[in-house]
Amino acid sequence: MSLRPVKEIIQTKPTIEGAGVKLQRAFGFGKTKDFDPFLLLDDFRNDKPEDYLAGFPWHPHRGIETITYVLAGSVEHGDSLGNRGKMTAGDVQWMTAGSGILHQEMPRGDTQGRMHGFQLWANLPASLKMTDPRYQDIPSSAIPEITDDDGTSVRVICGEFWGKKGPVEGVAADPNYLDISVPPGQRKRLKVETTRNAFAYVFAGSGTFRDASDPRAVLTESATNPDAPAKYDVSNHSLVLFDRGDEITVQAGDEGIRFLLVSGRPIEEPVAWYGPIVMNTQEELRQAIAELHTGGFIKHR
């Protein structure tokens, strides 16, 4: 077994999207190679309705898949194909934008006004950029949850883990998307296929992602002194990018730790990206933007 070393630790950046939704961006609009096939991860978590109620009004997508995972509150959605729906706590929506779709997402808080969810963007390979749009709406009850003897629990949203298969299927990036909780003080080794890029996004508790007996240097985005001792401790709003290997180690802190563990097979194709449209070439990008203005963006089949 080869342990994946920590390549980089990134702290989220406050970002405003949609019609004024305040959120935290873990990565996006930057280094696509390190995260390939994933493009962006947003954590939209807030307990002030005025910071999220304006939502994400009608906007286009092409060439990607968006994965929305709701933990608190709800998100109502609608699109140009006439689809309508509502996600509540624990639900997942996997939308393949493909050739193009216009949609809106409107968050609402729970009874205490709290809203929490994640949106992850996965790239589509050139061969599927112009595929027909489709949705996979997954209720919380359909997502398998496994609890190990030491109290570690895993929700398997996509992919296979500990003998359980997630309900989301047929996704180009063939990802594994797991929601993992490790109890206080526990150390856990978790398998990740060697050929995949992988990251962990911590959203509760704290801990470290390394083998204590095998220290390694690690880059942190905010490091001002390159000679300073490496920092491995991670907590809420920390993203851990892993290097190659076939498993990771996590040591939970005093409060335990909860994180998303996401991995996918790299597509390794050129990325031409403008807002919610991701193609392979600038020419394809120009065509998509032109079609938005001329009315040919939505492909009727």
Side-chain angles (χ1 to χ4, degrees):
M1 293 292 177
S2 62
L3 187 68
R4 282 181 177 249
V6 173
K7 190 173 183 179
E8 190 173 6
I9 297 173
I10 300 167
Q11 299 304 314
T12 59
K13 292 183 172 64
T15 306
I16 296 177
E17 282 290 354
V21 178
K22 293 182 179 178
L23 51 81
Q24 295 284 331
R25 178 155 293 158
F27 69 90
F29 297 97
K31 299 175 291 187
T32 55
K33 185 178 179 183
D34 284 345
F35 293 96
D36 185 11
F38 306 106
L39 297 161
L40 173 148
L41 176 64
D42 282 344
D43 179 345
F44 51 96
R45 181 182 348 181
N46 217 306
D47 56 8
K48 297 178 182 175
E50 64 270 22
D51 287 346
Y52 61 77
L53 277 179
F56 306 91
W58 293 99
H59 58 281
H61 283 293
R62 177 180 283 183
I64 63 171
E65 299 180 284
T66 66
I67 303 97
T68 307
Y69 179 28
V70 177
L71 293 183
S74 63
V75 177
E76 294 182 3
H77 65 90
D79 70 22
S80 51
L81 303 177
N83 295 304
R84 295 284 183 276
K86 182 178 180 179
M87 289 172 281
T88 57
D91 296 348
V92 173
Q93 182 195 79
W94 204 292
M95 182 189 80
T96 304
S99 61
I101 200 164
L102 297 171
H103 78 154
Q104 64 173 350
E105 299 151 301
M106 305 305 287
R108 295 288 180 269
D110 61 13
T111 52
Q112 282 83 46
R114 297 171 303 183
M115 152 55 55
H116 189 194
F118 305 101
Q119 188 163 94
L120 176 70
W121 291 10
N123 202 3
L124 283 169
S127 59
L128 294 174
K129 288 283 189 195
M130 299 301 285
T131 191
D132 288 347
R134 71 168 183 145
Y135 284 93
Q136 296 181 71
D137 288 307
I138 312 295
S140 180
S141 59
I143 298 172
E145 185 166 342
I146 320 145
T147 302
D148 207 2
D149 294 341
D150 65 359
T152 298
S153 67
V154 180
R155 299 192 86 212
V156 185
I157 293 164
C158 186
E160 287 191 48
F161 194 75
W162 287 352
K164 295 288 186 179
K165 190 174 176 64
V168 178
E169 295 185 330
V171 178
D174 187 26
N176 270 38
Y177 189 130
L178 311 170
D179 176 354
I180 300 177
S181 297
V182 181
Q186 291 290 339
R187 173 174 291 189
K188 203 72 183 169
R189 295 172 84 90
L190 304 164
K191 290 186 182 301
V192 181
E193 190 181 315
T194 309
T195 58
R196 298 167 174 268
N197 284 334
F199 65 86
Y201 178 67
V202 180
F203 61 96
S206 62
T208 61
F209 284 88
R210 71 179 180 97
D211 189 332
S213 64
D214 187 17
R216 294 178 172 86
V218 63
L219 299 172
T220 60
E221 223 179 29
S222 58
T224 53
N225 178 6
D227 299 319
K231 293 183 178 179
Y232 290 93
D233 292 342
V234 291
S235 57
N236 188 12
H237 292 132
S238 297
L239 183 136
V240 182
L241 178 64
F242 298 105
D243 215 329
R244 285 289 191 261
D246 58 15
E247 63 179 10
I248 67 164
T249 293
V250 57
Q251 171 72 52
D254 294 341
E255 307 166 23
I257 190 169
R258 187 175 178 187
F259 58 96
L260 304 178
L261 180 60
V262 181
S263 65
R265 199 164 290 124
I267 295 173
E268 298 179 334
E269 291 179 354
V271 174
W273 187 351
Y274 182 78
I277 301 170
V278 184
M279 305 303 290
N280 294 101
T281 68
Q282 290 297 317
E283 178 54 39
E284 290 169 340
L285 204 53
R286 282 192 290 271
Q287 180 181 341
I289 293 166
E291 288 177 351
L292 259 179
H293 293 107
T294 59
F297 188 77
I298 303 300
K299 309 298 180 185
H300 299 284
R301 297 175 187 245

